[in-house]
Amino acid sequence: MSFVEYGDTIKDGDTAIVFLGHESMFPVKVQHGTVTQTKYGVIRHSTDLIGKKYGSKVTCSKGGWVFILHPTPELWTMNLPHRTQILYSTDISIITMMLELKPGSIVCESGTGSGSLSHALIRTVAPTGHLYTVEFHQQRAEKAREEFREHGVEHLVTVTNQDVCKNGFGVSNIADAVFLDIPSPWEAIGHAKSALKAEGGRICSFSPCIEQVQRTYLAMEEYGFTEINTLEILLRVYNVRTISLQIPDLGKAAEDNSSTGFDSSNPSNQGSPCPKPQQGTVQFKSGVPLREMVGHTGYLTFATKS
């Protein structure tokens, strides 16, 4: 199993995603002789998982069932253990596009954090590219190395435990792109410029506060970066549902009376009540935004090394 090389069958040692529903899923490490508890009952790895195909419907001990999915960077972002605040697919997608990443690209990243963006970057630059990721916190760096090894992508990533603001990325003039997600990105702009290739490399800095963006912008100008621009990506989710509304009375009855020769001034018609239309309901699909949803996540500042 690998996050970039997809297999058909579940093997001992794989990381798999147990899917109970769109709002309920979790990762599990497949191990011979191990069991996993769910609200639908027990999943026995030896008999229920190992040797089965990814995407299989597995019946639990209580009679309920789940699906076992192959892990992807998108699924991992939704289910990973949080060691830090993470980036989600909304920001990740625009980052990979604006940094112009492709298979074979060399990328420098700081900090690694929980590895949400790291897995997406690795999948994008595979099979011939490489990710150099720097993490200040030693335990987080060690945990990231362990996860990359378990996920079969350790040959595509180098994890370094150091302060990027003081010691840089450990590489020079080779990176196609640099990504910064640190409290003081302006202190690392010089090291980012050194890591980027001679001309045309791209940089992105993620910051939750506009004051950080301002200082980073000034540092980018000082080091000669061009095409500097800042984006804020907002995800607006709509809830699509079927609703029923009553058909309004738009006066169709009055028109029908005139067309059929009904004359209220005629004495023979004065005692006859005017017929009322039969009002009914109609069903149709309607989409409305959620009442509560994640709004601001942060600002993305992009620039090009000239």
Side-chain angles (χ1 to χ4, degrees), residues 16-303:
I17 304 297
V18 180
F19 180 90
L20 292 82
H22 289 288
E23 302 298 330
S24 179
M25 62 184 90
F26 60 89
V28 63
K29 184 174 181 180
V30 180
Q31 294 178 312
H32 185 77
T34 303
V35 298
T36 296
Q37 294 281 352
T38 74
K39 64 181 180 181
Y40 300 127
V42 172
I43 301 174
R44 296 174 175 82
H45 293 201
S46 300
T47 57
D48 297 333
L49 298 184
I50 297 177
K52 299 290 182 64
K53 287 190 175 184
Y54 279 107
S56 297
K57 183 178 179 180
V58 174
T59 302
C60 304
S61 61
K62 293 182 180 179
W65 48 266
V66 298
F67 287 104
I68 308 300
L69 307 180
H70 195 293
T72 65
E74 291 79 13
L75 288 175
W76 184 245
T77 290
M78 298 171 62
N79 296 280
L80 58 79
H82 285 228
R83 300 182 288 272
T84 60
Q85 181 60 268
I86 68 170
L87 290 177
Y88 290 92
S89 298
T90 307
D91 290 310
I92 292 173
S93 60
I94 198 70
I95 289 169
T96 55
M97 183 188 76
M98 294 294 288
L99 290 182
E100 302 174 3
L101 302 182
K102 59 185 183 300
S105 295
I106 306 297
V107 186
C108 292
E109 175 197 26
S110 181
T112 311
S114 302
S116 173
L117 176 64
S118 303
H119 283 81
L121 294 176
I122 291 170
R123 196 262 307 273
T124 302
V125 304
T128 56
H130 201 84
L131 172 65
Y132 294 90
T133 183
V134 178
E135 174 55 52
F136 175 79
H137 193 276
Q138 182 178 358
Q139 291 181 337
R140 288 201 292 261
E142 292 174 354
K143 186 61 178 178
R145 290 193 191 97
E146 179 184 341
E147 287 179 349
F148 293 143
R149 182 170 58 255
E150 290 179 352
H151 298 166
V153 296
E154 72 276 9
H155 61 292
L156 296 170
V157 57
T158 299
V159 182
T160 305
N161 173 220
Q162 65 186 28
D163 185 352
V164 70
C165 296
K166 295 180 179 179
N167 307 112
F169 294 93
V171 296
S172 300
N173 302 319
I174 64 169
D176 297 288
V178 170
F179 177 80
L180 298 174
D181 183 6
I182 55 179
S184 305
W186 55 88
E187 296 180 1
I189 298 300
H191 294 297
K193 183 177 181 180
S194 299
L196 287 168
K197 59 187 181 181
E199 186 177 356
R202 294 279 287 167
I203 183 174
C204 175
S205 174
F206 176 89
S207 296
C209 301
I210 195 62
E211 292 81 8
Q212 294 169 304
V213 174
Q214 292 170 337
R215 296 190 65 175
T216 303
Y217 189 101
L218 293 174
M220 288 178 174
E221 281 192 327
E222 180 182 349
Y223 281 95
F225 284 90
T226 60
E227 300 177 352
I228 306 173
N229 63 88
T230 299
L231 307 177
E232 183 182 20
I233 311 302
L234 300 178
L235 177 64
R236 186 174 177 87
V237 179
Y238 277 78
N239 182 20
V240 179
R241 63 180 186 269
T242 302
I243 65 174
S244 297
L245 288 180
Q246 195 172 37
I247 300 174
D249 179 6
L250 301 179
K252 187 173 185 297
E255 297 176 0
D256 291 343
N257 289 339
S258 62
S259 63
T260 56
F262 183 86
D263 185 2
S264 59
S265 61
N266 189 332
S268 62
N269 291 334
Q270 288 180 357
S272 302
C274 179
K276 294 183 178 180
Q278 295 294 325
Q279 288 192 339
T281 59
V282 61
Q283 290 187 336
F284 62 94
K285 294 290 184 180
S286 175
V288 294
L290 304 182
R291 293 184 177 181
E292 295 182 1
M293 58 186 174
V294 177
H296 170 80
T297 57
Y299 301 101
L300 296 170
T301 301
F302 296 91

